[in-house]
Amino acid sequence: MPAGDVETFHQDGSWHNRIEGASDLLGTYATREEAVAAGRDEARRRKVEHLVHNLDGTIGERNTYGHDPRDIPG
């Protein structure tokens, strides 16, 4: 994933957003819904990908809000 993508993840009982590769958090939220909405807004603003992790750490959702780097016809 390119540097600068936004990640939404659960850790220590809270949901968080951060820029991929950075240790600083963009925000901490009580609910998944709040974190996803804030992460989506940040990804749209930055025109990058937004990755939403499941509780087990796997990627549950992935959305692109800018240049889509995939080479898929159609």
Side-chain angles (χ1 to χ4, degrees), residues 8-10 15 32 51-61:
T8 298
F9 63 99
H10 189 268
W15 287 90
R32 180 182 189 276
L51 291 95
V52 181
H53 294 269
N54 295 320
L55 285 172
D56 65 3
T58 60
I59 296 173
E61 192 177 324

Side-chain angles (χ1 to χ4, degrees), residues 3-30:
D5 289 343
V6 177
E7 294 181 292
T8 298
F9 63 99
H10 189 268
Q11 186 176 36
D12 299 328
S14 298
W15 287 90
H16 309 280
N17 285 317
R18 71 175 168 215
I19 302 302
E20 184 266 332
S23 59
D24 294 337
L25 297 175
L26 296 174
T28 299
Y29 306 89

Side-chain angles (χ1 to χ4, degrees), residues 2 4-6 40-50 62-70:
D5 289 343
V6 177
R40 180 177 43 246
D41 290 345
E42 185 65 21
R44 283 181 175 155
R45 188 180 74 73
R46 292 174 174 263
K47 296 183 168 97
V48 297
E49 198 164 3
H50 180 211
R62 180 179 219 133
N63 298 292
T64 301
Y65 298 103
H67 172 70
D68 190 347
R70 297 177 299 162

